Amino acid sequence: VFLAETLVDEARLDYVKDRIRLDKKFVVQRINNGGGLVLYWKNDIMVDVVSSSVNHIDAIINKESEVAWRFTGFYGEPETCKRRESWDLLRSLHQQSSLPWLCAGDFNEIVKQFEKLGGRVRPQGQMQLFREVLDECGFLDIGFKGSPFTWSKHYKSGVSIWERLDRVLVSYDWFVKFPGTQVNHVDSTTSDHKLLWIEQSELAILPKKKL
């Protein structure tokens, strides 16, 4: 389980861990009263955290086994002027491993205008920068079930905005290894974001190529 913008101290994170019945955690501490990331997992899952920052937690699952793969929990910069720093981070992470890769989280950006409803039109150049880094990293968007938007804000003026800021991206190798994986947008009563529930398919047993 990966959480972004935790906004709480470690005692609260331990309380959440116990409530959801998981055993271990890796924390990126909040700065003042903002930010914060945490990754939770069970004892029977081998998780090796490779790197982290205020914007990501990068881990290898089942390291040094035939079923090893990579998970990155990502949090894009909320300030537009710093968004390039997030995309540079993704590029850097892309260069660090060739394992099948799943990257999920709140990217704070959309790919196309139809991923936003209400408010001002998103500048094309801003979305293009996001599309370019996704192409450079070789990411595939495996889609979702549920609402087309993952975040919303409602103003007292009556204006409402909905956007798809959260998504699951995978490398081609990950897509081949775990075909049929499904992402669900799940309502949350404690956040203005929907939860991304990933139902991972069974590992595909691929036939060996003939020499």
Side-chain angles (χ1 to χ4, degrees):
V1 175
F2 171 72
L3 301 178
E5 288 189 291
T6 56
L7 308 176
V8 295
D9 58 23
E10 193 136 358
R12 180 65 178 177
L13 295 176
D14 282 332
Y15 171 78
V16 172
K17 175 174 65 67
D18 294 339
R19 284 294 304 270
I20 61 179
R21 299 182 180 180
L22 296 179
D23 304 305
K24 296 182 179 180
K25 73 179 191 304
F26 181 91
V27 176
V28 175
Q29 298 291 348
R30 63 180 180 175
I31 299 176
N32 297 321
N33 293 319
L37 310 175
V38 62
L39 181 65
Y40 296 114
W41 66 93
K42 291 185 176 181
N43 281 327
D44 59 354
I45 300 175
M46 295 175 58
V47 176
D48 181 27
V49 175
V50 177
S51 68
S52 65
S53 72
V54 294
N55 296 105
H56 85 289
I57 297 176
D58 189 36
I60 297 176
I61 314 301
N62 298 319
K63 186 178 181 180
E64 298 179 354
S65 74
E66 292 184 359
V67 295
W69 58 281
R70 180 186 186 192
F71 171 78
T72 302
F74 198 83
Y75 176 60
E77 281 289 346
E79 296 181 45
T80 304
C81 63
K82 295 183 178 180
R83 203 70 50 74
R84 287 177 182 268
E85 297 175 18
S86 294
W87 309 153
D88 287 343
L89 173 59
L90 275 179
R91 290 185 179 94
S92 177
L93 290 168
H94 171 56
Q95 298 296 324
Q96 293 172 18
S97 174
S98 59
L99 285 173
W101 189 15
L102 183 149
C103 181
D106 175 6
F107 293 84
N108 270 312
E109 190 52 272
I110 60 175
V111 171
K112 295 286 187 179
Q113 197 62 51
F114 63 76
E115 293 183 335
K116 176 180 170 65
L117 179 63
R120 291 180 294 178
V121 173
R122 183 73 109 255
Q124 283 295 328
Q126 188 174 320
M127 294 186 291
Q128 180 61 25
L129 291 174
F130 188 31
R131 291 193 292 263
E132 287 174 358
V133 72
L134 298 187
D135 288 342
E136 289 177 41
C137 292
F139 277 135
L140 304 173
D141 188 325
I142 57 176
F144 59 88
K145 285 191 173 183
S147 169
F149 309 109
T150 63
W151 171 86
S152 62
K153 188 168 185 177
H154 309 283
Y155 297 90
K156 292 181 179 179
S157 63
V159 174
S160 293
I161 300 173
W162 293 268
E163 296 182 328
R164 186 191 177 201
L165 301 181
D166 311 82
R167 64 186 70 231
V168 177
L169 304 167
V170 302
S171 66
Y172 177 76
D173 288 344
W174 199 95
F175 181 76
V176 170
K177 181 165 284 193
F178 301 101
T181 296
Q182 182 172 293
V183 178
N184 301 281
H185 292 173
V186 180
D187 290 336
S188 171
T189 58
T190 58
S191 174
D192 53 2
H193 288 258
K194 292 187 182 296
L195 305 176
L196 301 183
W197 180 266
I198 305 170
E199 295 182 271
Q200 187 173 332
S201 67
E202 295 296 326
L203 177 67
I205 307 299
L206 302 177
K208 293 182 179 180
K209 295 182 179 178
K210 295 182 180 180
L211 298 177

